[in-house]
């Protein structure tokens, strides 16, 4: 899409979706209000919370007129984000999960990257913190791709080095082609936006960590679940790699792919493009995990599937050489292990960045 330059001090809308995060949502809002860049509005959609979230949000709104509450019955993450976007008016929109925090200079950097019209989407790294606020890691592990990525993303079935909700920003003119997201088809909005937006515009990225991404015991609830459940987006490890988790990931990826394909097929901006989710290597990997963990697929079939998967990994243009080496060992050995050991084996190696790191973890 052709983009025009924005005003010198564009209004930035920060879209917050909240569900039962009364403990965190106030701090999330204040992390926006305390930014070094002050021309902001914070649109907070509470998605039918049953705790004191609405009291917290209303209190923040009474203290600062830049906070705009939106209260609705529960419609899920995608439905809440649709409501927040509809209520916003900013030239730039940034997403923020209600349990995460922006670092004080984030919006200044977002504006710097998007103001001149050279890119319509901006992503960045995020520091993961535990419940005590201690830094545990930085995500994603892989290097960012920048610029025009449309052809690559179509070829890979939607796959690229994307980020969870609180690392995504975009200009309104591009977002208007993506909103409202198909909330009736997808459980979360950010995987859908992560695939669709780069088909419409160029991507800018920063290696600075501009968000604190909170992981805690309640991280399966509310809007934050989008990022938590999509480990394949952020490239993190394979903790909790159970049959149920694998099946849920496959279901979500399939729903997102189907929704993007429908949008691509009907969008005047994307005339001539064709989106095929089955091209996604991550979907093939999770399908392989599902077959390994079920114990219902014979060894010969698993070996054949492993061989094809390793061939795809070897020719992939997103994985680095060391990660390819680790994947070849991980996927090649797995069919020969007893079923009871496969979960531990896959969880041990999944998401690691190199063969060396993989075997260092085995030895410990």
């Amino acid at each position: 899409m052709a983009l025009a330059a924005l005003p010198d001090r564009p209004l930035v809308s920060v879209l917050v979706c909240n569900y039962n995060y009364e403990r965190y949502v106030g701090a999330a809002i204040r992390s926006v209000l305390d930014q070094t860049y002050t021309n902001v509005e914070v649109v907070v959609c509470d998605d039918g919370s049953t705790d004191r979230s609405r009291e917290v949000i209303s209190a923040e709104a009474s203290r600062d007129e830049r906070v705009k509450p939106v209260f609705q019955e529960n419609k899920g993450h995608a439905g809440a984000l649709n409501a927040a976007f509809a209520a916003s008016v900013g030239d730039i929109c940034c997403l923020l999960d209600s349990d995460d925090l922006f670092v004080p200079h984030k919006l200044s950097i977002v504006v710097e990257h998007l103001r001149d019209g050279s890119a319509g989407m901006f992503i960045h790294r995020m520091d993961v913190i535990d419940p005590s606020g201690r830094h545990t890691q930085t995500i994603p592990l892989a290097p960012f791709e920048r610029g025009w990525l449309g052809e690559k993303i179509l070829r890979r079935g939607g796959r690229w080095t994307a980020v969870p909700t609180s690392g995504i920003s975009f200009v309104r003119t591009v977002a208007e082609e993506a909103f409202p997201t198909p909330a009736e088809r997808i459980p979360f909005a950010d995987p859908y936006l992560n695939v669709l937006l780069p088909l419409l515009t160029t991507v800018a990225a920063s290696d600075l960590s501009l968000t604190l991404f909170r992981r805690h015991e309640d991280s399966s609830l509310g809007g934050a679940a989008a990022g938590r459940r999509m480990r394949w987006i952020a490239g993190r490890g394979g903790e909790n790699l159970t049959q149920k988790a694998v099946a849920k990931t496959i279901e979500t990826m399939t729903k997102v792919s189907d929704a993007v394909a429908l949008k691509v097929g009907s969008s005047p901006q994307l005339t001539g493009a064709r989106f095929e989710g089955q091209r996604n290597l991550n979907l093939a990997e999770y399908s392989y995990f599902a077959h390994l963990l079920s114990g219902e697929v014979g060894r010969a079939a698993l070996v054949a599937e492993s061989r094809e998967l390793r061939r795809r990994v070897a020719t992939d243009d997103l994985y680095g050489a060391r990660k390819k080496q680790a994947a070849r060992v991980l996927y090649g050995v797995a069919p020969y292990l007893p079923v009871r050991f496969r979960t531990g084996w896959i969880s041990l190696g999944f998401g690691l960045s190199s063969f060396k790191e993989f075997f260092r973890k085995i030895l410990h």
Side-chain angles (χ1 to χ4, degrees):
M1 293 179 59
L3 300 175
L6 300 177
D8 287 342
R9 283 183 57 80
L11 177 64
V12 177
S13 299
V14 178
L15 311 182
V16 183
C17 301
N18 179 73
Y19 178 72
N20 284 348
Y21 273 171
E22 65 173 280
R23 289 184 295 167
Y24 306 113
V25 65
I29 294 170
R30 290 190 295 276
S31 78
V32 180
L33 300 177
D34 293 341
Q35 289 286 305
T36 57
Y37 187 87
T38 57
N39 191 23
V40 303
E41 64 172 6
V42 193
V43 184
V44 189
C45 180
D46 184 79
D47 194 38
S49 291
T50 57
D51 63 2
R52 293 182 58 257
S53 288
R54 295 191 176 189
E55 295 177 41
V56 175
I57 296 166
S58 296
E60 294 294 339
S62 69
R63 285 190 285 266
D64 195 311
E65 63 182 7
R66 293 177 294 172
V67 180
K68 297 171 62 174
V70 177
F71 297 149
Q72 67 177 25
E73 296 180 358
N74 185 263
K75 296 182 179 179
H77 180 261
L81 188 58
N82 285 343
F85 180 77
S88 70
V89 295
D91 304 292
I92 295 172
C93 295
C94 302
L95 307 187
L96 175 62
D97 274 337
S98 58
D99 58 341
D100 294 339
L101 303 166
F102 284 171
V103 303
H105 56 286
K106 165 168 173 163
L107 296 187
S108 294
I109 294 176
V110 171
V111 170
E112 178 184 331
H113 280 85
L114 295 180
R115 182 172 50 201
D116 66 359
S118 60
M121 181 180 187
F122 173 70
I123 59 174
H124 59 78
R125 299 202 186 282
M126 308 165 71
D127 284 338
V128 181
I129 58 174
D130 65 16
S132 68
R134 182 178 62 89
H135 174 269
T136 60
Q137 69 178 125
T138 299
I139 59 172
L141 300 175
F144 283 131
E145 298 176 286
R146 295 168 167 85
W148 173 241
L149 307 176
E151 285 86 356
K152 289 182 179 180
I153 291 174
L154 285 176
R155 186 177 71 247
R156 299 177 188 147
R159 184 166 157 269
W160 65 298
T161 307
V163 295
T165 306
S166 300
I168 303 171
S169 304
F170 40 80
V171 299
R172 175 169 294 277
T173 51
V174 173
E176 286 171 345
E177 296 296 322
F179 281 90
T181 66
E184 72 284 356
R185 293 182 174 273
I186 56 174
F188 310 115
D190 60 317
Y192 176 81
L193 294 173
N194 264 320
V195 176
L196 182 61
L197 291 178
L199 300 180
L200 296 166
T201 188
T202 52
V203 177
S206 173
D207 291 321
L208 297 174
S209 292
L210 302 177
T211 295
L212 302 182
F213 181 93
R214 195 190 306 269
R215 303 187 76 180
H216 52 87
E217 66 277 9
D218 295 333
S219 62
S220 63
L221 301 174
R228 313 294 189 247
R229 292 179 181 177
M230 306 308 286
R231 288 191 299 272
W232 52 278
I233 286 181
R236 301 193 299 282
E239 68 277 10
N240 302 319
L241 196 67
T242 63
Q243 281 185 259
K244 183 177 180 181
V246 168
K248 189 67 177 179
T249 299
I250 292 172
E251 178 187 6
T252 301
M253 292 180 70
T254 301
K255 287 181 177 180
V256 169
S257 294
D258 291 347
V260 171
L262 283 174
K263 179 64 176 180
V264 169
S266 63
S267 171
Q269 292 285 352
L270 296 167
T271 299
R274 182 179 179 184
F275 183 82
E276 299 173 300
Q278 68 271 21
R279 292 175 175 266
N280 193 317
L281 177 58
N282 293 141
L283 182 58
E285 289 174 309
Y286 271 92
S287 297
Y288 180 55
F289 298 159
H291 296 158
L292 284 168
L293 301 182
S294 72
E296 297 174 357
V297 179
R299 179 171 294 171
L302 287 173
V303 169
E305 187 175 2
S306 168
R307 186 180 300 115
E308 172 60 18
L309 183 58
R310 285 179 286 146
R311 183 196 66 77
R312 290 186 62 180
V313 167
T315 58
D316 183 67
D317 65 346
L318 191 56
Y319 281 165
R322 292 182 298 174
K323 190 165 184 177
K324 289 180 180 182
Q325 188 179 31
R328 284 197 295 270
V329 175
L330 182 71
Y331 299 157
V333 170
Y336 298 96
L337 297 175
V339 174
R340 66 182 182 276
F341 293 138
R342 291 174 183 170
T343 297
W345 176 256
I346 295 296
S347 296
L348 183 68
F350 183 65
L352 299 183
S353 61
S354 69
F355 182 84
K356 182 178 180 181
E357 183 184 356
F358 178 46
F359 279 96
R360 184 188 302 121
K361 193 166 183 179
I362 291 177
L363 292 174
H364 283 79

